[in-house]
């Protein structure tokens, strides 16, 4: 029997608005707190949780950037004349993404999404490593580096394995008392919410399923650990998309050439621009200012959000839409989806949640990167307590 198991369960998109009127996890994690998210997508929220740092420090922000010198996609240039009806097919892009991921040795999640083939060689993909592993950050360390440096045995979900396989793996490690720390990652709720929206009747059953799984983990852990320090948390919420914005057509109607006058990445809720000519900057800025569904984020605000990059690596101009507006078509998708995240962190559905069986949530745990403090604190607590138990034995 070991002394302590810190059990951190990350449920993607299980935002404050999703659970605030639901008794989710109340039976075993009654203490809950709303947490501020990080501006950006999971590509930045997850690394922020895992590292305890913000995007301007760890530089895991948006996936695609204009960077022809360093583009790993140069070999795809030869394919740029393939007709769009082939290259825009989801199945074609999915298979090709898998192929590229293997060829380029990308370790994390990779998808070509809807980046046009014609211009793919102008872009770089910024998450070549897997943030869910030690050494996986673009800059600095993460919780897994912390655990490995200190020799703390841990379990982390492998996204390639799926939720139930990962659950079984962890149950095995708990049974053998091998781990002093566990990090569980469940991405399925995010996918469901994107598909059905945040008001769907399908959400509650998913929450009940997650409760059953957590109960199962707790029951197993109680057999082998005297104390389980449980934290269930998310990275952001999910807003329904009720308004579509064809931003790309508006920009492409301007007398400018993509790749020569400017470049852009159209994410689902923001657009990021790079300018190679002064007129391009003027035209695009003027055009964006006429669009009432969104606004250009000033540097002062980006700085407040810890998303101001002085080298403008992720874009010289960031345009963000209002909550509920979806940029479509975008480089992330050709067709609309029911719900999205990646709006301003102060928008209602952006907030994340933390639920725990601990009596106190320290006051300095306010935003999702603060979860890192809980992880490091509890990992050391467990290491020391478990070492004492094994010495006594
Ligand atoms: Zn998502």
């Amino acid at each position: 029997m070991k002394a302590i198991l810190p059990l951190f369960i990350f449920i993607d998109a299980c935002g404050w608005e999703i659970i605030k009127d639901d008794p989710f996890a109340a039976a075993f994690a009654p203490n809950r707190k709303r947490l501020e998210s990080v501006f950006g997508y999971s590509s930045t929220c997850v690394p922020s949780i895992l590292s305890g740092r913000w995007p301007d420090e760890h530089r895991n922000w948006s996936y695609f950037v204009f960077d022809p010198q360093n583009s790993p996609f140069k070999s795809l240039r030869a394919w740029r004349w393939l007709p769009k009806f082939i290259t825009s097919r989801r199945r074609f892009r999915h298979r090709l993404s898998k192929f590229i991921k293997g060829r380029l040795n990308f370790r994390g999640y990779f998808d070509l999404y809807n980046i046009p083939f014609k211009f793919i060689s102008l872009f770089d993909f910024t998450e070549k490593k897997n943030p869910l592993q030690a050494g996986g950050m673009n800059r600095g360390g993460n919780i897994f580096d912390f655990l490995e440096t200190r020799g703390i045995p841990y379990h982390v979900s492998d996204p390639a394995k799926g939720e139930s396989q990962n659950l079984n793996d962890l149950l095995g490690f708990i049974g053998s008392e091998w781990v002093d720390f566990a990090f569980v990652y469940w991405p399925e709720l995010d996918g469901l919410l994107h598909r059905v929206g945040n008001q769907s009747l399908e959400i509650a059953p998913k929450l009940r399923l997650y409760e059953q799984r957590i109960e199962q983990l707790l029951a197993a852990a109680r057999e082998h650990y005297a104390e389980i320090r449980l934290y269930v948390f998310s990275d952001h919420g999910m807003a329904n998309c009720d308004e579509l914005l064809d931003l790309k057509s508006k920009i492409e109607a301007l007398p400018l050439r993509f790749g020569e006058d400017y470049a852009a990445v159209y994410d689902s809720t923001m657009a990021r621009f790079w300018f190679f000519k002064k007129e391009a900057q003027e035209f695009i800025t003027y055009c964006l200012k006429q669009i009432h569904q969104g606004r250009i984020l000033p540097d002062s605000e980006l700085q407040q959000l810890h998303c101001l990059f002085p080298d403008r690596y992720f874009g010289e101009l960031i345009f963000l839409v209002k909550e509920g507006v979806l940029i479509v078509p975008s480089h992330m998708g050709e067709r609309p989806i029911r719900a999205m995240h990646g709006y301003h962190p102060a928008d209602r559905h952006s907030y994340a949640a933390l639920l725990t069986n601990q009596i106190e949530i320290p006051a300095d745990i306010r935003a999702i990167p603060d979860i890192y403090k809980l992880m490091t604190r509890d990992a050391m607590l467990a290491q020391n307590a478990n070492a004492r138990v094994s010495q006594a034995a």
Side-chain angles (χ1 to χ4, degrees):
M1 185 98 177
K2 276 191 165 181
I4 297 179
L5 177 67
L7 180 54
F8 285 82
I9 300 179
F10 174 7
I11 304 179
D12 204 313
C14 189
W16 183 254
E17 288 295 318
I18 304 288
I19 55 114
K20 85 169 193 231
D21 300 318
D22 187 287
F24 178 60
F28 45 81
N31 193 5
R32 39 167 75 184
K33 186 172 181 175
R34 189 181 82 154
L35 296 185
E36 203 177 293
S37 188
V38 169
F39 177 45
Y41 303 94
S42 296
S43 57
T44 198
C45 292
V46 178
S48 301
I49 291 170
L50 294 173
S51 70
R53 289 172 294 121
W54 293 78
D56 56 2
E57 299 167 89
H58 57 58
R59 290 177 76 85
N60 283 71
W61 200 44
S62 292
Y63 276 151
F64 288 95
V65 293
F66 176 80
D67 192 356
Q69 268 81 48
N70 294 306
S71 176
F73 308 115
K74 288 188 189 107
S75 58
L76 296 178
R77 251 182 79 79
W79 296 24
R80 69 192 182 283
W81 307 116
L82 273 179
K84 200 176 165 221
F85 77 86
I86 294 175
T87 62
S88 67
R89 262 186 217 156
R90 195 61 214 135
R91 199 140 62 115
F92 173 83
R93 298 188 79 90
H94 185 72
R95 283 202 189 149
L96 186 68
S97 299
K98 259 180 107 168
F99 172 75
I100 294 172
K101 184 173 168 205
R103 274 281 296 275
L104 299 177
N105 222 3
F106 290 168
R107 288 288 166 234
Y109 175 77
F110 176 71
D111 192 320
L112 267 177
Y113 293 100
N114 199 33
I115 298 271
F117 246 78
K118 216 174 139 188
F119 300 120
I120 188 72
S121 61
L122 302 177
F123 294 100
D124 193 4
F125 181 71
T126 64
E127 193 188 283
K128 299 189 181 73
K129 298 184 276 184
N130 180 359
L132 280 166
Q133 289 172 352
M137 300 293 297
N138 283 346
R139 187 181 280 176
N142 64 19
I143 182 64
F144 309 112
D145 292 294
F146 177 93
L147 296 166
E148 291 194 7
T149 307
R150 281 160 187 81
I152 301 174
Y154 66 93
H155 164 81
V156 57
S157 298
D158 173 359
K161 284 186 179 172
E163 292 187 357
S164 13
Q165 177 64 48
N166 277 306
L167 180 71
N168 288 335
D169 288 357
L170 177 54
L171 286 167
F173 292 136
I174 288 173
S176 64
E177 298 181 9
W178 179 68
V179 285
D180 282 357
F181 182 94
F183 189 97
V184 178
Y185 175 47
W186 285 333
E188 286 179 7
L189 180 68
D190 178 73
L192 176 69
L193 286 164
H194 278 302
R195 208 174 70 243
V196 301
N198 63 27
Q199 294 302 311
S200 165
L201 295 174
E202 289 183 58
I203 299 161
K206 190 75 186 174
L207 295 178
R208 302 291 83 81
L209 175 77
Y210 281 148
E211 281 171 339
Q212 279 169 25
R213 284 195 194 154
I214 299 169
E215 301 256 25
Q216 197 185 348
L217 280 170
L218 289 172
R222 278 187 207 110
E223 303 277 307
H224 299 279
Y225 295 81
E227 182 191 350
I228 302 135
R229 301 174 71 92
L230 172 71
Y231 303 88
V232 181
F233 57 95
S234 54
D235 47 350
H236 50 70
M238 186 73 70
N240 286 349
C241 299
D242 297 318
E243 193 175 349
L244 306 179
L245 171 65
D246 185 359
L247 183 63
K248 210 157 138 280
S249 299
K250 290 183 199 282
I251 298 296
E252 284 172 6
L254 300 171
L256 300 171
R257 286 157 305 172
F258 194 103
E260 286 175 49
D261 302 325
Y262 77 103
V265 175
Y266 299 95
D267 297 321
S268 348
T269 62
M270 65 171 124
R272 296 174 285 118
F273 295 91
W274 292 259
F275 304 113
F276 317 124
K277 287 187 182 139
K278 205 172 178 301
E279 312 90 88
Q281 178 158 19
E282 287 165 1
F283 269 124
I284 288 175
T285 305
Y286 181 80
C287 172
L288 292 173
K289 283 185 173 167
Q290 314 308 308
I291 299 171
H292 70 271
Q293 292 102 325
R295 64 192 175 94
I296 296 167
L297 291 182
D299 280 4
S300 55
E301 193 171 350
L302 286 167
Q303 190 161 25
Q304 259 176 13
L305 297 169
H306 306 277
C307 294
L308 181 67
F309 302 89
D311 60 357
R312 307 282 153 172
Y313 182 64
F314 292 94
E316 295 169 39
L317 182 156
I318 314 291
F319 178 80
L320 171 68
V321 296
K322 291 179 188 168
E323 188 176 79
V325 176
L326 183 74
I327 299 174
V328 72
S330 74
H331 289 156
M332 294 291 115
E334 190 66 21
R335 279 172 286 276
I337 50 171
R338 182 69 195 96
M340 196 57 216
H341 48 88
Y343 297 102
H344 197 285
D347 287 336
R348 190 174 141 212
H349 292 281
S350 294
Y351 287 91
L354 171 66
L355 303 89
T356 178
N357 65 354
Q358 299 300 296
I359 293 164
E360 203 206 331
I361 300 173
D364 66 346
I365 308 298
R366 286 184 214 101
I368 58 170
D370 298 327
I371 294 167
Y372 180 80
K373 293 182 218 166
L374 298 173
M375 292 197 286
T376 50
R377 183 194 70 181
D378 284 22
M380 289 200 290
L381 263 175
Q383 185 182 36
N384 293 332
N386 294 343
R388 276 199 302 276
V389 170
S390 76
Q391 269 167 13

